[in-house]
Amino acid sequence: MFALLIEQLKPLPRDNWIHETLMSWVRWTGRNFDAGRPHHTWVVWGVSVGVPVLAVAALYLVIAHFSLLLALAFDVALLYLTLGFRQFSHYFTDIREALDRGDENEARRLLAEWRHLDASELPRTEVLRHVIEHALLAAHRHVFGVFFWFVVFSALGLGPVGAVLYRMAEFSSRYWGYRLRAMDAPGNDELLALSRRLFALIDHVPARLTAFGFAVVGNFEEAIGSWRRDAGLWQHPNEGIILAAAAGAVGVQLGGAAAPGVTPDRSKTFTAGGPGIADAAGSTAGDPAQPGHLHSVVGLVWRSVVLWMLLVALLTLANVLG
């Protein structure tokens, strides 16, 4: 709660030193530990993710040994750097404002800048759909996923270690994909595949809890039905579960054939959807994306945040009283 409040009052700037430091760190580990062989991919990932995790764990245990108040401050500081809406919401807000003004070209430019994709030929409804999909996934990865692993490791007495683990695993998988796709730089395909596979394992439980939270605070019956029916529309299961549940929760149509150059790292596999898919294009049931759905998605995410924070507060209270 403290971290989210501080972030709302003093958000990190778009190009902040933390992001640049992480990029330099992951780039350095790849350059120095990747010799192109399969086992080197494990070394690179272990150094990229494991070293910051172990460093934070050791530092937290030392601080907690001397002062619980300093340990709390350390928790808040690390969560401020790893968790929060403002790490992605400026793009979402700018695109929403551009669409409200009727400036679709600016909205396409911002979407392309945000996701490093060619969105120049997307019609308005497709721009809205992609903004909603990317915003939902970003909310999960910047808030709910970090939240889950922070709670797990805090319960084990390791403070913000879980938040750092999730953020570093997510950032590594995203960086190597970005390096190959947007920077057009040589890279190790096996390293990208490994980082995505390990992040998918780490994200397995948080993704399903996020989807369940969306169902609870939205249209529960439609969300669960869409989860069961349409999650297979997306290539990556964790993403499919989140997007399908959110689509049912707010009644918006997501999925469908992507335009060339859009979301290449999660192109749809419609044949995996099986019977019951809403239409031939492979979209979820619901209304075509409209500007009002952007506001619905914001409300859905905030209600879900409140739900999980209240649940953790009740569990903590029960543990104290018990």
Side-chain angles (χ1 to χ4, degrees), residues 35-154:
R37 296 187 178 183
H39 67 276
H40 291 147
T41 61
W42 286 93
V43 176
V44 173
W45 193 90
V47 174
S48 299
V49 177
V51 169
V53 168
L54 292 175
V56 168
L59 186 57
Y60 175 81
L61 291 175
V62 170
I63 293 174
H65 178 73
F66 290 100
S67 172
L68 291 179
L69 287 178
L70 287 178
L72 173 62
F74 188 68
D75 273 343
V76 173
L78 264 293
L79 279 175
Y80 172 73
L81 298 177
T82 56
L83 177 148
F85 292 100
R86 296 300 187 92
Q87 298 184 30
F88 70 91
S89 64
H90 45 265
Y91 280 113
F92 179 84
T93 302
D94 292 345
I95 292 172
R96 185 175 64 182
E97 291 176 350
L99 290 172
D100 289 341
R101 296 194 307 268
D103 191 351
E104 295 181 14
N105 289 330
E106 176 65 8
R108 294 187 188 97
R109 186 193 69 79
L110 289 168
L111 176 61
E113 181 181 322
W114 180 16
R115 302 307 305 169
H116 310 288
L117 304 166
D118 179 14
S120 58
E121 298 182 1
L122 284 180
R124 180 184 177 87
T125 55
E126 286 295 283
V127 171
L128 285 165
R129 177 173 70 84
H130 284 287
V131 169
I132 290 172
E133 290 185 358
H134 288 305
L136 286 167
L137 293 177
H140 167 69
R141 292 169 181 169
H142 287 274
V143 180
F144 299 112
V146 177
F147 187 92
F148 171 80
W149 282 110
F150 170 77
V151 171
V152 170
F153 276 81
S154 287

